[in-house]
Amino acid sequence: MPPRSRYLVCEGRELHCLEWGAEHPETVIAWHGLARTGRDMDDLAEHLASRYRVICPDTLGRGLSEWSPAPDDEYCLDFYVRQATSLVNQLGVERCLWVGTSMGGAIGLLAAATSLRGRIRRLLLNDIGPELAPAAVDRIRSYAGNPAAFATLSELEQYFRQIYAPYGWLSDTQWRRLTETSMRRLPDGRVTPHYDPAMVRQFITRPDDYSRWPEWDSLELPVLCLRGESSDLLTVETAEAMRTRGPRAVVVTIADCGHAPALNTPAQYGLVERFLAGG
């Protein structure tokens, strides 16, 4: 069955999410990365929906969710976690499994250590940890804070293919869908990525927002970390520390990917499924 599109007011702001497999009692929260939308999770959600209820939110300021009128106060992990807690409460989710890519994983990590402690049963981090490589943050800020704009959607797709090449293999159909589901048209008619550029204020107002070793060390749940083989965001050293500290994550390297694996191949589905099922 096709997913259901839902809108919920969380901490005073409207968030959009897609709900797949609503008939199932066990819920997976699948949360996207920094400058992306919940539609990035379409392939994984469709695959998991035969067994799980899968909720794919658009973060505040992304996709179809509201843009914040107070960016310096609300584009930050603490507020995202408050909204995530409100979202799962309104959806009647008592306990859940969490799959988070990049920022979506950081939201899950912080939520599992605080307001959703004991309610997130298993945490899958897709190329994210409790410490980020500064050079990668600078790279992301360089394009996300000043999003490119193009006359045509085809040009935007070529741009996405370039900057998101580290995602690994995507089919032509998947690249086209990624573009069509994460674009908006500007008043002058050009097309640009569908997010609020002010969301990068997070790195200015809270430069240490993603430094979360104390929260990591407090976790007491199974954690799987998928690290892109050539990731510039999650270093080998940080991933190794995650194996030995806190919840002692299982770390799996995904070949032919950087930041971050797209979670769209049979091999990646298998890793996700086995972990969620407790294997």
Side-chain angles (χ1 to χ4, degrees):
M1 293 182 63
R4 176 186 177 189
S5 182
R6 303 188 64 169
Y7 294 86
L8 298 137
V9 176
C10 302
E11 296 292 317
R13 308 286 179 233
E14 185 178 81
L15 295 188
H16 171 257
C17 67
L18 286 183
E19 179 182 27
W20 302 74
E23 69 275 15
H24 300 298
E26 194 163 20
T27 300
V28 175
I29 306 296
W31 210 295
H32 65 84
L34 180 76
R36 303 299 309 138
T37 81
R39 297 298 304 274
D40 280 10
M41 296 294 185
D42 277 9
D43 293 307
L44 179 65
E46 184 176 16
H47 185 80
L48 294 176
S50 63
R51 176 172 178 177
Y52 298 101
R53 178 192 189 194
V54 187
I55 306 297
C56 304
D58 289 338
T59 309
L60 182 73
R62 284 79 158 179
L64 300 181
S65 290
E66 181 179 355
W67 287 18
S68 174
D72 285 358
D73 297 324
E74 297 180 355
Y75 290 140
C76 62
L77 291 182
D78 285 342
F79 193 72
Y80 298 154
V81 168
R82 286 166 53 191
Q83 290 193 307
T85 304
S86 174
L87 181 75
V88 300
N89 287 342
Q90 291 186 62
L91 292 172
V93 178
E94 183 56 37
R95 302 188 74 198
C96 64
L97 306 158
W98 192 288
V99 177
T101 291
S102 193
M103 178 197 68
I107 295 170
L109 189 164
L110 183 55
T114 56
S115 57
L116 293 178
R117 191 175 191 91
R119 295 175 64 184
I120 296 177
R121 296 197 301 108
R122 303 178 76 84
L123 175 64
L124 191 154
L125 303 177
N126 185 25
D127 210 63
I128 190 72
E131 181 180 338
L132 307 185
V137 174
D138 291 342
R139 173 182 62 80
I140 293 168
R141 283 182 58 186
S142 71
Y143 71 80
N146 185 27
F150 302 93
T152 68
L153 189 137
S154 296
E155 292 173 289
L156 180 62
E157 180 180 327
Q158 290 306 309
Y159 169 74
F160 281 148
R161 283 175 179 256
Q162 177 183 352
I163 64 168
Y164 295 137
Y167 284 11
W169 179 86
L170 280 78
S171 68
D172 289 343
T173 298
Q174 288 170 333
W175 279 117
R176 178 58 50 86
R177 187 186 64 212
L178 181 152
T179 305
E180 291 177 344
T181 60
S182 58
M183 59 76 72
R184 63 186 176 91
R185 198 168 292 278
L186 296 168
D188 65 5
R190 294 180 300 162
V191 290
T192 193
H194 204 326
Y195 62 81
D196 181 1
M199 58 88 177
V200 299
R201 295 281 305 164
Q202 176 183 22
F203 296 103
I204 299 169
T205 62
R206 291 170 174 79
D208 298 321
D209 211 12
Y210 287 85
S211 298
R212 296 291 176 174
W213 282 114
E215 289 86 359
W216 174 262
D217 289 336
S218 78
L219 293 179
E220 298 176 315
L221 80 169
V223 179
L224 172 64
C225 175
L226 305 180
R227 180 183 179 272
E229 181 179 33
S230 58
S231 175
D232 63 345
L233 191 81
L234 179 61
T235 66
V236 171
E237 292 76 16
T238 296
E240 286 301 313
M242 292 167 69
R243 294 181 193 267
T244 60
R245 292 180 56 170
R248 292 182 169 83
V250 173
V251 178
V252 176
T253 299
I254 307 298
D256 302 319
C257 289
H259 181 76
L263 304 182
N264 67 331
T265 68
Q268 292 171 24
Y269 293 157
L271 287 168
V272 174
E273 285 184 297
R274 286 191 293 274
F275 174 71
L276 296 181

